[in-house]
Amino acid sequence: GENVEQHPSTLSVQEGDSAVIKCTYSDSASNYFPWYKQELGKRPQLIIDIRSNVGEKKDQRIAVTLNKTAKHFSLHITETQPEDSAVYFCAAQIIQGAQKLVFGQGTRLTINP
Amino acid sequence: NAGVMQNPRHLVRRRGQEARLRCSPMKGHSHVYWYRQLPEEGLKFMVYLQKENIIDESGMPKERFSAEFPKEGPSILRIQQVVRGDSAAYFCASSPSWGRNTEAFFGQGTRLTVV
């Protein structure tokens, strides 16, 4: 089945700097890649997603890039702020007659003031 | 639209008891996923259900765990004879359709503690 690998597991950056989180997936049939943010004790919430027909998508300080050939996608956060501190999960959708989201292991991002 | 509703938010069970976790999907959503999250860990897929059907239960332990999503009412994740290792946060998510790429919305989770 699908396997999603996420790196790094922890990331610490200075406020105002950029943060990059990378994921790889194994199933070339996957064509939907969402990113979720989970603050401590709360539910995961979708922050941005990308579909396989585009290579990049941007929403204010957040951007996601997708390389289908290499089967990897990345989350970029620019001008980081303290409220960006959270755990971030990437996911890939498997198209095998069912819609199952498989998540990466998560990245704990800490923004240092 | 009230969003995905899970209850209870917190559940304490003694070893050997049964735990029942409920998930009401968003209005108009007919697909439900259950995930388990251990402390400081990621979201592990357990089961994917459509109304009255289990689509994929490849992540569910073979024993003690079961899930259903009846025609009427919430989806239920049932854990029989709970053990300490079952202590975790259990999240459900719902989406509106299958065969299309659509985002999944998560509930607040049920935090199960086995004592």
Side-chain angles (χ1 to χ4, degrees), chain A residues 31-32 36 38 41-46 49 51 89 93 95 97-106 108, chain B residues 4 33 35 37 40 42-43 45 48 55-56 58 91 95 97-104 106-108 111:
Chain A
N31 60 1
Y32 175 60
Y36 285 80
Q38 186 179 29
K42 296 190 177 180
R43 76 180 88 189
Q45 291 196 295
L46 181 76
D49 57 15
R51 285 159 170 74
F89 293 97
Q93 179 185 22
I95 307 295
Q99 187 180 346
K100 182 171 79 173
L101 272 175
V102 177
F103 284 86
Q105 298 88 338
R108 181 174 298 280
Chain B
V4 181
Y33 315 79
Y35 290 86
Q37 186 174 40
E40 304 296 316
L43 295 156
F45 170 79
Y48 164 47
I55 305 300
D56 186 333
S58 57
F91 287 95
S95 66
S97 64
W98 87 328
R100 293 187 347 173
N101 307 336
T102 54
E103 67 179 275
F106 280 84
Q108 295 275 34
R111 279 152 184 82

Side-chain angles (χ1 to χ4, degrees), chain B residues 38-57:
Chain B
L38 295 170
E40 304 296 316
E41 293 192 10
L43 295 156
K44 298 290 187 188
F45 170 79
M46 299 182 73
V47 63
Y48 164 47
L49 309 106
Q50 190 185 9
K51 286 276 186 184
E52 300 185 280
N53 283 314
I54 295 176
I55 305 300
D56 186 333
E57 57 182 349

Side-chain angles (χ1 to χ4, degrees), chain B:
Chain B
N1 196 332
V4 181
M5 303 299 291
Q6 286 188 251
N7 68 82
R9 293 287 307 279
H10 300 275
L11 181 62
V12 179
R13 284 287 178 266
R14 296 186 186 279
R15 281 179 294 170
Q17 290 185 320
E18 178 180 289
R20 280 186 176 238
L21 288 62
R22 296 174 186 78
C23 170
S24 296
M26 286 180 70
K27 187 176 179 181
H29 287 193
S30 57
H31 301 264
V32 165
Y33 315 79
W34 284 94
Y35 290 86
R36 177 163 64 177
Q37 186 174 40
L38 295 170
E40 304 296 316
E41 293 192 10
L43 295 156
K44 298 290 187 188
F45 170 79
M46 299 182 73
V47 63
Y48 164 47
L49 309 106
Q50 190 185 9
K51 286 276 186 184
E52 300 185 280
N53 283 314
I54 295 176
I55 305 300
D56 186 333
E57 57 182 349
S58 57
M60 196 112 87
K62 296 283 185 252
E63 296 179 352
R64 301 189 299 108
F65 285 73
S66 62
E68 62 176 6
F69 189 14
K71 187 176 180 181
E72 301 292 336
S75 175
I76 306 286
L77 179 67
R78 182 181 176 206
I79 311 172
Q80 295 178 292
Q81 300 173 352
V82 296
V83 300
R84 289 236 169 94
D86 297 333
S87 295
Y90 292 83
F91 287 95
C92 85
S94 73
S95 66
S97 64
W98 87 328
R100 293 187 347 173
N101 307 336
T102 54
E103 67 179 275
F105 294 87
F106 280 84
Q108 295 275 34
T110 292
R111 279 152 184 82
L112 172 66
T113 302
V114 179
V115 298

